[in-house]
């Protein structure tokens, strides 16, 4: 194996990709490579791709160009969802030397024989049906919180989504291994762990390499809550039909799980939810939000929503807008529908023009800003705990409270990765919240 070479990584997409990039990077370091920032000159550049939106596909080429500007002899490797779905397309991009699919990416160092540039990208890609085993991963060292992967793949058949084609069937890490990884993260002094996966509410399925199902997501949450030296645990995103009352109730009394939920909705129209083949209707979503707010009035609730799905008329879009407007939520992640090959939605009637999609996206992003502002205003005067980030942003340090209020204060390096009791006082001109430290409170 080649050593003393520099390797850099670029990650597109979700928290799951970040956790996997971090694990793959540690494998390189263990093999003797030196990890450097992507903006530095490196011998190898690894790009972890995403294929959820059309934009992520397009960004790949510009990232490749950026890497080659730093070193036109660099060896370029593409991994991730887009690499599994369209390996030939990525291999044909000028400068790409190696493309690895869903199962091969975790053994990337074994595919590097030498670092000579290839005339055409070499492809090692499995049939997605072969992606039936689990590889655990977590991110460390990239930020003040760690992303801990607990589950991969998805058995759902949502008509707009390529993730089952890119990541395979739903499968889980063993409970024992998740706890080992959590303890290792805690031992590094990281204060917050974010649980991540494709469909984490499905946790337990495939835990033993088959459909045997001993543990549930609630079991996982209860066990993690007992791990020492973890100050915060955050659930990244969970389907409304898999977020059970028992989990909500447990989080409300937990030592470490924070009152923050991110719950995909995708549409407020039952007609469109059926076309999307989602596994719930809007009344289930309403019930989940109500249950959370009943048990945790200050909880933050984020929502994923898609605009411009085929068949979304003006009336159906307004149904979604009005539904979200009256719902007690905190912010939106708005996705503009983009046609993905080999999905059912591509063949549906009622294609929404791109300009209309953009207009609807803008409306919902405006609603999100309004919702976030309202949530922040409701939190003023509350005593909360902030975990500070590690960047100096124009003379300020930012942080997040347990219920995901973003705060700021003048930069002090000693605040990085520390927890402090604070009282929220006012919303600044940039929309972030100012605060007072609570005197005599213990710093962690």
């Amino acid at each position: 194996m080649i050593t003393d070479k520099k390797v850099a990584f670029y990650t597109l997409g979700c928290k799951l990709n970040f956790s996997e990039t971090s694990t793959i990077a540690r494998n390189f370091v263990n093999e003797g490579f030196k990890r450097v920032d992507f903006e530095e000159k490196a011998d190898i550049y690894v790009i972890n791709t995403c294929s959820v939106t059309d934009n992520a596909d397009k960004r790949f080429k510009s990232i490749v160009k950026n890497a080659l500007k730093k070193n036109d002899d660099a060896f370029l490797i593409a991994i991730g969802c887009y690499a599994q779905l369209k390996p030939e397309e990525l291999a044909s991009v000028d400068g790409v030397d190696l493309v690895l699919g869903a199962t091969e990416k975790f053994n990337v160092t074994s595919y590097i024989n030498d670092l000579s540039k290839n005339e055409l990208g070499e492809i090692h890609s499995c049939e997605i049906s072969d992606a039936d085993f689990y590889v655990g991963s977590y991110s460390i060292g990239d930020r003040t919180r760690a992303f801990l992967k607990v589950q991969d793949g998805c058995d759902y058949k949502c008509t707009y989504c390529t993730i089952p084609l890119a990541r395979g069937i739903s499968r889980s890490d063993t409970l024992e291994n998740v706890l080992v990884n959590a303890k290792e993260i805690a031992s590094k002094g990281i204060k917050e762990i974010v649980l991540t996966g494709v469909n984490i509410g499905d946790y337990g399925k495939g835990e033993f390499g088959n459909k045997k199902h001993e543990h549930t997501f609630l079991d996982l949450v209860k066990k993690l809550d007992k791990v020492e030296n973890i100050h915060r645990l955050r659930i990244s995103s969970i389907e409304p039909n898999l977020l059970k009352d028992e989990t909500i109730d447990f989080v409300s009394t937990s030592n470490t799980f924070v009152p923050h939920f991110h719950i995909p909705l995708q549409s407020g129209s039952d007609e469109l939810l059926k076309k999307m083949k989602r596994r719930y209707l809007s009344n289930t979503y309403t019930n989940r939000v109500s249950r959370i707010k009943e048990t945790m009035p200050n909880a933050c609730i984020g929502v994923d929503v898609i605009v411009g799905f085929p068949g979304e008329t003006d009336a159906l879009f307004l149904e979604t807008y009005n539904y979200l407007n009256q719902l007690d939520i905190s912010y939106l992640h708005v996705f503009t529908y983009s046609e993905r090959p080999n999905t059912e939605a591509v063949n549906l009637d009622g294609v929404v023009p791109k300009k209309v999609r953009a207009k609807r996206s803008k409306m919902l992003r405006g609603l999100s800003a309004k919702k976030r502002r309202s949530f922040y205003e409701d939190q003023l005067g509350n005593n909360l705990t902030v975990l500070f980030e590690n960047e100096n942003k124009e003379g300020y340090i930012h942080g997040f409270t347990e219920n995901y209020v973003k705060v700021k204060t003048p930069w002090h390096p000693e605040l990085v990765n520390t927890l402090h009791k604070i009282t929220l006082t006012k919303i600044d001109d940039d929309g972030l919240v100012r605060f007072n430290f609570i005197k005599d409170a213990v710093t962690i």
Side-chain angles (χ1 to χ4, degrees), residues 112-178:
I112 304 171
N113 298 316
D114 64 62
L115 297 182
S116 302
K117 296 291 288 177
N118 293 325
E119 282 189 28
L120 188 65
E122 187 181 321
I123 295 170
H124 294 276
S125 183
C126 66
E127 292 295 322
I128 197 60
S129 57
D130 294 334
D132 58 358
F133 59 90
Y134 187 86
V135 178
S137 55
Y138 58 87
S139 68
I140 252 183
D142 299 332
R143 50 194 78 200
T144 52
R145 64 181 63 86
F147 299 137
L148 173 57
K149 174 182 168 184
V150 300
Q151 182 273 343
D152 201 351
C154 189
D155 292 341
Y156 288 10
K157 298 291 187 287
C158 300
T159 55
Y160 53 81
C161 186
T162 59
I163 289 175
L165 300 173
R167 284 189 168 269
I169 60 171
S170 179
R171 54 208 188 275
S172 308
D173 205 350
T174 63
L175 187 55
E176 180 185 22
N177 197 49
V178 172

Side-chain angles (χ1 to χ4, degrees), residues 319-338:
E319 194 177 329
T320 293
Y321 186 94
N322 292 332
Y323 174 76
L324 289 166
N325 192 31
Q326 58 81 34
L327 206 59
D328 192 2
I329 54 170
S330 314
Y331 64 90
L332 305 173
H333 279 175
V334 183
F335 296 89
T336 303
Y337 172 76
S338 58

Side-chain angles (χ1 to χ4, degrees), residues 14 50-57 81 160-163 335 338 340:
C14 61
C50 170
S51 192
V52 170
T53 65
D54 191 39
N55 187 43
D57 294 357
C81 290
Y160 53 81
C161 186
T162 59
I163 289 175
F335 296 89
S338 58
R340 314 309 293 147

Side-chain angles (χ1 to χ4, degrees), residues 252-266:
S252 72
T253 59
S254 162
N255 298 317
T256 49
F257 276 90
V258 295
H260 175 206
F261 295 85
H262 193 92
I263 315 170
L265 169 67
Q266 311 310 10

Side-chain angles (χ1 to χ4, degrees), residues 190-204:
I190 291 172
K191 302 289 196 298
E192 179 174 311
I193 294 176
V194 183
L195 303 186
T196 186
V198 175
N199 188 357
I200 63 173
D202 210 24
Y203 176 81

Side-chain angles (χ1 to χ4, degrees), residues 310-365:
E312 186 185 63
T313 60
D314 286 344
L316 292 181
F317 169 71
L318 285 174
E319 194 177 329
T320 293
Y321 186 94
N322 292 332
Y323 174 76
L324 289 166
N325 192 31
Q326 58 81 34
L327 206 59
D328 192 2
I329 54 170
S330 314
Y331 64 90
L332 305 173
H333 279 175
V334 183
F335 296 89
T336 303
Y337 172 76
S338 58
E339 286 77 1
R340 314 309 293 147
N342 302 314
T343 59
E344 277 189 59
V346 169
N347 300 314
L348 293 177
D349 295 331
V351 174
V352 179
K354 295 277 177 72
K355 283 185 179 178
V356 176
R357 297 183 208 183
K359 180 184 175 187
R360 291 174 183 172
S361 175
K362 188 176 180 182
M363 285 178 68
L364 282 184
R365 279 183 276 121

